[in-house]
């Protein structure tokens, strides 16, 4: 299933679509044979996990609470997950796989243009995190309380995204499009700008900042920075900035 090629684009990030992918990867441990039933119940379990974790933290959430919140019996819950680490692995694995698959599949018409490619990554990451906001918030906010293996997995997820950004920055430096002294540092500075949209949603909602406005603001700021333009004005005004045609509005 190629998420980046699916239309409408945001349908790829529905809970059901993501749980269908989880089922594919964990078929050997999920003891329910009917795919439609398995996906529906996985969606209930994941929704309950994200909701409870947002209220009280994943570490404080018990399997019994998850069973009650998802409407399943304990026996029913165990046919899908045998432990909290297994559930954590399912969620983190899906966030990591989805982000990597989408961000490494740019449209052909932007792949060889560093400016357009970087614009595309910024817009795509922000729109993807908008569509998967509870999943991304969970991975970001709960990482400090994860067991060591899962905490390292969350760290590796962030490093992978930074590498994807860094590869495009190197492309731009090599072509003369970007003026950057430290590619890896620049990539690590761009990543928090992408995270801010899903971590601090209340702040931007209060300010009336739309997702398009945020994409324009980050894109213009980053474009000016990597192009060596101290005016931070970008190549286009916020109202005129070209948006990737491949992006569907969530």
């Amino acid at each position: 299933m190629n998420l980046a090629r699916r239309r409408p684009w945001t349908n790829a990030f529905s809970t059901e679509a993501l749980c269908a992918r989880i089922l594919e990867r964990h078929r050997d441990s999920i003891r329910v044979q009917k795919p439609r039933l398995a996906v529906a119940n996985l969606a209930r379990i994941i929704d309950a996990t994200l909701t409870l974790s947002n209220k009280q933290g994943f570490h404080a959430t018990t399997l019994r609470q998850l069973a009650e919140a998802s409407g399943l019996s304990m026996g029913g819950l165990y046919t899908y997950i045998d432990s909290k680490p297994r559930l954590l692995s399912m969620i983190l694995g899906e966030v990591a796989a989805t982000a990597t698959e989408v961000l490494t599949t740019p449209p052909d018409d932007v792949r060889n243009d560093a400016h357009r490619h970087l614009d595309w990554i910024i817009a795509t990451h922000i729109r993807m995190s908008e569509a998967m906001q509870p999943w991304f918030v969970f991975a970001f906010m709960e990482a400090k309380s994860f067991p060591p293996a899962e905490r390292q997995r969350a760290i590796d997820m962030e490093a992978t995204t930074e590498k994807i950004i860094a590869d495009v920055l190197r492309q731009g430096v090599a072509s003369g499009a970007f003026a950057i002294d430290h590619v890896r540092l620049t990539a690590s500075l761009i990543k928090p700008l992408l995270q801010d949209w899903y971590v601090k949603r209340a702040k931007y909602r209060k300010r009336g900042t739309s997702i398009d406005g945020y994409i324009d603001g980050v894109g213009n700021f980053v474009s000016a920075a990597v192009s060596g333009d101290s005016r931070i004005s970008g190549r286009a005004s916020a109202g005129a900035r070209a948006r990737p045609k491949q992006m569907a509005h969530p």
Side-chain angles (χ1 to χ4, degrees), residues 99-100 102-107 109-125 159-180 182-184 186-188 190 194 219 222-223 226-227 235 241:
T100 300
V102 170
L103 295 176
T104 56
T105 317
D109 61 346
V110 308
R111 188 184 299 273
N112 296 318
D113 183 319
H115 275 298
R116 295 184 66 194
H117 197 168
L118 186 57
D119 282 348
W120 180 86
I121 284 179
I122 290 170
T124 298
H125 192 289
T160 297
T161 302
E162 285 188 10
K163 182 181 183 303
I164 292 169
I165 297 170
D167 287 344
V168 177
L169 295 178
R170 289 190 186 93
Q171 173 194 0
V173 171
S175 68
F178 299 154
I180 306 170
H182 303 288
V183 167
R184 290 182 62 186
T186 302
S188 70
I190 293 173
L194 306 181
V222 170
S223 175
V226 300
S227 300
R235 299 186 309 287
R241 186 180 183 83

Side-chain angles (χ1 to χ4, degrees), residues 38-155:
V39 169
N41 283 338
L42 272 174
R44 291 162 66 182
I45 294 168
I46 299 295
D47 279 341
T49 301
L50 299 178
T51 299
L52 289 173
S53 296
N54 187 52
K55 292 179 179 178
Q56 63 192 38
F58 182 73
H59 68 287
T61 299
T62 66
L63 290 180
R64 185 166 298 281
Q65 288 174 325
L66 287 175
E68 293 175 357
S70 62
L72 298 174
S73 65
M74 285 297 293
L77 185 69
Y78 277 117
T79 62
Y80 294 91
I81 57 170
D82 54 12
S83 64
K84 284 179 62 179
R86 170 80 70 177
L87 176 59
L88 185 56
S89 176
M90 288 178 174
I91 296 174
L92 293 182
E94 187 52 39
V95 174
T98 298
T100 300
E101 180 179 336
V102 170
L103 295 176
T104 56
T105 317
D108 293 336
D109 61 346
V110 308
R111 188 184 299 273
N112 296 318
D113 183 319
H115 275 298
R116 295 184 66 194
H117 197 168
L118 186 57
D119 282 348
W120 180 86
I121 284 179
I122 290 170
T124 298
H125 192 289
I126 292 171
R127 293 195 186 285
M128 176 173 56
S129 70
E130 170 79 0
M132 292 179 62
Q133 201 249 358
W135 300 68
F136 273 76
V137 170
F138 175 87
F140 182 88
M141 299 300 292
E142 294 291 325
K144 61 183 179 299
S145 62
F146 290 161
E150 284 70 28
R151 187 163 58 249
Q152 184 60 50
R153 188 170 192 172
I155 293 171

Side-chain angles (χ1 to χ4, degrees), residues 119 122 212-227 229 231-242:
D119 282 348
I122 290 170
D212 289 330
Y214 192 76
I215 289 171
D216 285 338
V218 172
N220 285 328
F221 183 86
V222 170
S223 175
V226 300
S227 300
D229 185 351
R231 294 171 298 173
I232 312 298
S233 60
R235 299 186 309 287
S237 66
R241 186 180 183 83

